[in-house]
Amino acid sequence: DLSRYSIKERLVRHWETLHGGKRFVDAEQGAFFAALHQYKDVQNLRRENTGGSDEYKLTDALLLHCVNHIMKTADLVKKGNGRQEGDQPKGSAGEAESIDPQRDQGFTRPKVLVLLPSRKFAYKFVQRLMRFVMLPNFGTKHFKSIPGGVQFLDEYSSMDEDVAQLEKQLQDPKKRKKAPT
């Protein structure tokens, strides 16, 4: 049950939308998330390609942990920046310019590292991440609004399309090229 963990309410609502409740899909997903939540090192070598409704259950648990961690860190940064702005001495305009306040840029610093075996997995992971954060409305057209999104699509999605096209050609005997006799 997600209520045992300190998860941002927005993420709990997204989880409910994607999974139909505040519970994990099964005990394996719950145990995986518990290990992540305790910040244990986790290595998952199993591929998730069961084709069932819980195909991405471990990926979703990983995404829940990562996005929750990022959101909490961003909140701490915003809170710290608010304190810094309140602590600055107020003086003349010349004094304010000479003081260069230390500013944390929030989301610009890396917070989470996920290692994936290939571009195909990275593309699917980012698609699932965006669907998790933005809900099922997310599509490839939304990548245009994300900095670097178009470049990401150019470099990573073409491989996915190439593989799909090749698989179609292999399945359709009419499109196969006949060897010269």
Side-chain angles (χ1 to χ4, degrees):
D1 191 13
L2 295 179
S3 61
R4 291 181 13 191
Y5 305 99
S6 56
I7 298 173
K8 302 295 265 178
E9 187 59 36
R10 176 181 165 201
L11 293 177
V12 172
R13 286 193 310 268
H14 284 237
W15 186 270
E16 288 175 349
T17 303
L18 290 173
H19 295 284
K22 290 185 179 183
R23 296 191 170 276
F24 292 110
V25 173
D26 59 15
E28 181 184 21
Q29 187 185 44
F32 186 71
F33 181 80
L36 293 170
H37 192 70
Q38 295 171 5
Y39 293 96
K40 293 183 178 178
D41 291 337
V42 176
Q43 182 179 15
N44 179 25
L45 300 175
R46 194 180 73 215
R47 290 178 65 180
E48 291 185 298
N49 196 5
T50 60
S53 62
D54 62 344
E55 179 177 355
Y56 292 105
K57 65 181 181 182
L58 297 183
T59 302
D60 286 349
L62 174 63
L63 288 171
L64 178 66
H65 173 70
C66 292
V67 174
N68 189 52
H69 178 71
I70 291 167
M71 289 176 77
K72 285 185 173 188
T73 304
D75 286 349
L76 285 173
V77 167
K78 288 175 189 173
K79 190 176 180 181
N81 285 346
R83 276 194 213 133
Q84 279 184 348
E85 289 173 7
D87 292 345
Q88 287 182 4
K90 295 180 181 173
S92 66
E95 289 177 21
E97 289 176 8
S98 65
I99 300 172
D100 186 26
Q102 217 175 6
R103 293 194 179 165
D104 196 331
Q105 298 300 313
F107 286 111
T108 60
R109 291 188 184 172
K111 305 287 184 241
V112 176
L113 174 66
V114 178
L115 301 176
L116 298 166
S118 67
R119 287 178 164 206
K120 175 184 166 185
F121 288 103
Y123 177 70
K124 288 184 177 188
F125 184 82
V126 170
Q127 274 190 320
R128 192 72 183 173
L129 169 68
M130 300 311 285
R131 191 162 281 137
F132 185 74
V133 173
M134 301 174 90
L135 290 179
N137 312 352
F138 182 77
T140 14
K141 62 183 178 189
H142 292 99
F143 270 102
K144 293 177 183 173
S145 64
I146 301 169
V150 174
Q151 181 181 357
F152 178 81
L153 280 178
D154 289 345
E155 292 179 13
Y156 287 77
S157 69
S158 62
M159 291 183 66
D160 199 35
E161 293 167 2
D162 292 345
V163 170
Q165 187 178 20
L166 182 62
E167 287 175 354
K168 273 186 180 178
Q169 286 178 353
L170 292 174
Q171 290 174 356
D172 189 2
K174 293 177 184 176
K175 290 190 176 183
R176 285 187 194 168
K177 291 184 179 179
K178 294 182 181 180
T181 55

